[in-house]
């Protein structure tokens, strides 16, 4: 059994062929997926998917790569997170790779999400790119460790992984870990304790080898798990069982 802890089923590449995506999940024994919100404008579609399909969960948040959307408040996030299928706040975080100008608004938006997560007692889904030091600093300053969460699509160093795990966060690996040139990341995937690890697709992006460059979908998380199993000398079932257990512990503790 496998769980895709992070995908965007509502994005146009996938929204027109949900039935096919769900069928591939079934074929590859991917039992659940978490569909992650990137703006409040797209949130109703994300929530609708979670309402329609029992094995799809959802989050609420405004991604750091969207500079031109309205400022989001803690109250709005807390209100939308009150829904029973909304299991996390995010994705949120910092991305200095795509947005080059002054990023104070990103940091403010990130702080708002952490505060909302703490008040609503929901874990955080954190995106960080070219901004690891600031990301960890703000997580510490805002006491993100009170609720924990996941560093999604992890591509940082072992030191950054350790910093996040010290705050109680999980480390989630995407299809990038299957790329031949991801040497340092493969090493991190060998070292992260199994009980702190999640797997994801970030579909429709970042399809794993041997589908690199194609449209990704949740069923392909199997290839991420297979690569981690290979790197660690374990079976696919062991990696699947551990990462699925972690998913339910983090996002659905006390909800079966
Ligand atoms: Zn992301
Ligand atoms: Zn994402």
């Amino acid at each position: 059994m496998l769980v895709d802890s992070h995908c965007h089923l509502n994005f146009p590449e996938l929204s027109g062929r949900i039935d096919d995506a769900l069928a591939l999940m079934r074929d590859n024994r991917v039992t659940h997926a978490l569909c992650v919100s990137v703006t409040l404008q797209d949130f109703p579609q994300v929530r609708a998917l979670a309402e329609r399909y029992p094995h799809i969960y959802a989050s609420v948040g405004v991604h750091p790569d969207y500079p031109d959307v309205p400022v989001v408040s803690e109250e709005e996030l807390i209100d939308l997170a009150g829904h029973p299928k909304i299991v996390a706040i995010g994705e949120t975080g910092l991305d200095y790779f795509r947005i080059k100008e002054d990023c104070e608004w990103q940091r403010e938006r990130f702080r708002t999400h952490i505060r909302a997560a703490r008040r609503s007692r929901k874990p955080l889904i954190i995106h960080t790119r070219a901004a690891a030091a600031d990301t960890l600093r703000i997580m510490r300053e805002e006491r993100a460790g009170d609720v924990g969460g996941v560093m999604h699509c992890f591509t940082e160093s072992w030191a950054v992984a350790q910093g996040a795990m010290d705050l109680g966060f999980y480390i989630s690996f995407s299809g990038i870990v299957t790329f031949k040139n991801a040497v340092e990341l493969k090493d991190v995937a060998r070292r992260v304790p199994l009980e702190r690890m999640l797997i994801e697709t970030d579909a429709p992006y970042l399809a794993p080898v041997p589908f690199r460059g194609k449209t990704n979908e949740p069923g392909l998380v199997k290839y991420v798990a297979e690569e981690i199993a290979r790197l660690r000398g374990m079976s696919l079932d062991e990696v699947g069982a551990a990462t699925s257990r972690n998913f339910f512990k983090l996002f659905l503790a006390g909800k079966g």
Side-chain angles (χ1 to χ4, degrees), residues 6 8 63-65 91 125-128 152-153 200 202:
H6 188 119
H8 302 283
H63 191 291
D65 283 344
E91 59 183 291
I125 299 169
I126 295 185
H127 169 111
T128 184
H152 109 85
C153 194
E200 67 172 81
D202 209 10

Side-chain angles (χ1 to χ4, degrees), residues 6 30 33 78 82 98 110 129 151 159 171 200 213 219 238 248:
H6 188 119
V30 180
I78 292 165
R98 292 231 208 138
F110 186 27
R129 191 160 181 208
M151 305 303 284
I171 307 298
E200 67 172 81
E238 283 173 296
F248 289 107

